[in-house]
Amino acid sequence: MSPTVRTSPPSKPRRFGRLTGIVVPVVLAATAISASALVPAQAADAAATAAHGNPSPSADPAAIRDWNTIATDVIGANLGPTRPSGQAVVWHGFVSVAVYNAVVGIEGRYAPYKWRARGPATASPEAAAVTAAHHVLLADFPASRTLLDAAYADSLAKIPDGTAKRQGMAFGARAADHVIELREGDGRFAAVEFTVPPAPGVWRPTPPANLPFIDTWLARLRPLVLTSAAQFRPGPPPALSSERYARDVNEVKIMGARANSPRTAQQTETAVFFGGNLAVQLQSAYRDHSARHHLDIADTARLFAAANASATDAVITSWNTKLHYGTWRPITAIQLAGTDGNPATEPDPQWQPLLVTPPHPDYISGHAAVTGAVTRTLTGLFGTTRLDLTFPSEATGTTRHYDDAVKLNQDMIDARVWAGIHSRTADTEGCLAGARVGAWTLAHHFRPLHPAHPRSSPPVPRTCPRGGSD
């Protein structure tokens, strides 16, 4: 099914520093319950929730959506709205897991992320969520304190004063501090260099700006859910002498050219639509979906945390692969095709891509990896390949609605080729790597404390269009 296209208006950070702000002691009560059907870690988590009773039905999930919007604005203001990197995704991951812990630690329905603490059942989940988001963002982006403090005061003013509010604020602060501690020494901003000298097939800065490899530290960043940055690094890209390499180069040379390309208007629009800030597009889609489907506060927190955590580790996987293989971009491969030793490619020194090439290697595509991770995560949460996601694009001024995960991934793969900035192999392998990250994420985190069918596994939906099993 083709996506529906509707014209409408599109809707340097520091390391974490420990916040002590409003943290106050919270006494946690726990009694044992029968949880023999759960794995040990889940059984311990379930036992800790026995004193909670039923989750609060009146908690407003809009607090999470509001602070996701604030996070998007703050991250964009500090990084720059068009920074050509996956870094923005990472900050959303940190904020979202803290908010998730703050909420589910009170609601008691899902296993917290790398934490066993529980808050009082009488605490306000909204107060916990906004406090966790505020504290993590302030720790990362202290230059935005004025904006963050004002937004925090406004959010708290909407919550009735009393014990529930105070308890929620205290527990949200604890949740934020826990994530801050987890991320200490994680490798952010470490000096990681790409030192491979230029040679056929090897990445080098690309015009027009000829910028160095950006944010190389992402390649060594400690993941949120994976065991290592290289856990799902794919095998090597096609050899320069291979037929597949020549096919990749010749396809992007024709379909991704700035001038004289046979791209249709729809193909060009697809390339431009997905050529901007993917992190902004994804957050908007999550907010819209959770609001239209009336997700409660725990399910809203889980959606944002699972999707953003898997996207974060997809970025890390992508950058680790880029640094490891260091393959040149299409603009270099096409202009210097006379040096690749492949008789099936012809050089064109004047060739230019439709969009400006980002300053990092081709293999694998970060956009495709993130989308592959997100779609696999969401289909796992929803239990179907039907997504019902609406994406905006500031670049085109339009929105697109996707019901099908495979179609979304196909469009992302095609978009990067038609933009002239990625080979098809970099895109398809990126999608597959991301899908593996997404599957791992749901297998190990963000799980129900009381699964309906603890001993059965639902069928794994296929979300990448081709290139192997995800």
Side-chain angles (χ1 to χ4, degrees):
M1 177 185 295
S2 299
T4 302
V5 181
R6 300 189 295 268
T7 302
S8 66
S11 15
K12 181 168 177 183
R14 285 176 37 180
R15 294 179 184 273
F16 275 124
R18 179 73 182 270
L19 290 175
T20 56
I22 59 170
V23 180
V24 298
V26 178
V27 178
L28 304 180
T31 57
I33 62 173
S34 174
S36 58
L38 302 180
V39 297
Q42 289 175 321
D45 287 333
T49 67
H52 280 231
N54 295 322
S56 170
S58 60
D60 188 357
I64 295 176
R65 294 191 295 269
D66 290 346
W67 273 85
N68 176 262
T69 300
I70 293 165
T72 300
D73 292 342
V74 168
I75 292 167
N78 282 268
L79 297 186
T82 60
R83 183 178 180 86
S85 167
Q87 191 185 147
V89 173
V90 172
W91 305 114
H92 277 293
F94 297 161
V95 174
S96 295
V97 296
V99 170
Y100 170 82
N101 276 355
V103 171
V104 303
I106 295 169
E107 295 284 290
R109 289 163 47 199
Y110 299 109
Y113 167 79
K114 298 184 178 181
W115 205 28
R116 294 187 182 277
R118 288 293 186 271
T122 54
S124 162
E126 300 101 312
V130 302
T131 299
H134 170 267
H135 280 36
V136 172
L137 285 167
L138 184 58
D140 279 327
F141 305 105
S144 295
R145 174 180 285 276
T146 300
L147 183 155
L148 288 168
D149 286 352
Y152 185 43
D154 183 63
S155 293
L156 291 178
K158 299 175 184 177
I159 302 171
D161 290 333
T163 301
K165 179 177 181 177
R166 291 191 297 272
Q167 289 176 332
M169 293 168 65
F171 190 69
R174 290 184 61 202
D177 275 349
H178 177 69
V179 171
I180 289 169
E181 290 176 355
L182 285 176
R183 299 310 304 181
E184 287 180 356
D186 63 3
R188 265 168 292 164
F189 312 118
V192 177
E193 296 184 2
F194 180 75
T195 58
V196 182
V202 176
W203 181 85
R204 74 285 313 273
T206 54
N210 295 305
L211 297 173
F213 190 161
I214 195 171
D215 294 339
T216 50
W217 54 269
L218 289 169
R220 304 281 172 78
L221 186 66
R222 186 197 313 141
L224 275 172
V225 296
L226 302 184
T227 59
S228 76
Q231 182 176 346
F232 291 118
R233 180 202 296 160
L240 297 184
S241 59
S242 69
E243 179 182 347
R244 186 177 185 183
Y245 172 81
R247 186 168 63 248
D248 279 348
V249 170
N250 289 329
E251 179 189 20
V252 72
K253 182 180 182 181
I254 295 170
M255 296 302 297
R258 183 179 302 172
N260 303 317
S261 171
R263 282 188 315 271
T264 65
Q266 175 70 7
Q267 289 170 333
T268 298
E269 201 271 350
T270 297
V272 176
F273 185 94
F274 288 115
N277 192 321
L278 180 60
V280 172
Q281 292 176 302
L282 289 171
Q283 306 312 310
S284 176
Y286 305 155
R287 292 192 300 268
D288 174 74
H289 180 94
S290 63
R292 283 189 295 104
H293 287 265
H294 306 289
L295 299 187
D296 64 25
I297 195 165
D299 285 326
T300 298
R302 185 187 188 214
L303 185 154
F304 279 96
N308 283 325
S310 67
T312 293
D313 282 8
V315 166
I316 295 170
T317 298
S318 176
W319 253 251
N320 182 273
T321 306
K322 290 173 183 288
L323 184 71
H324 183 76
Y325 294 115
T327 55
W328 60 10
R329 284 280 188 161
I331 187 172
T332 312
I334 293 167
Q335 292 184 355
L336 301 182
T339 69
D340 63 19
N342 193 319
T345 63
E346 294 286 340
D348 182 352
Q350 304 305 315
W351 187 88
Q352 294 293 323
L354 174 66
L355 302 183
V356 174
T357 301
H360 41 79
D362 177 54
Y363 185 85
I364 53 178
S365 163
H367 269 59
V370 167
T371 308
V374 166
T375 52
R376 180 62 186 83
T377 300
L378 294 183
T379 56
L381 291 179
F382 302 159
T384 173
T385 58
R386 180 178 171 82
L387 291 178
D388 191 16
L389 295 178
T390 300
F391 294 87
S393 175
E394 292 184 357
T396 61
T398 60
T399 61
R400 288 187 171 204
H401 184 82
Y402 285 90
D403 284 330
D404 184 73
V406 176
K407 177 56 181 172
L408 173 57
N409 281 315
Q410 183 67 70
D411 274 7
M412 182 61 73
I413 289 169
D414 289 338
R416 308 310 272 172
V417 174
W418 297 336
I421 58 178
H422 271 301
S423 66
R424 184 164 294 276
T425 295
D427 294 331
T428 56
E429 290 300 319
C431 183
L432 290 168
R436 295 180 185 114
V437 172
W440 174 275
T441 298
L442 290 189
H444 295 84
H445 298 279
F446 314 111
R447 297 172 65 84
L449 288 172
H450 305 282
H453 305 286
R455 289 190 173 88
S456 65
S457 298
V460 177
R462 181 178 180 83
T463 52
C464 292
R466 59 178 176 269
S469 173
D470 59 341

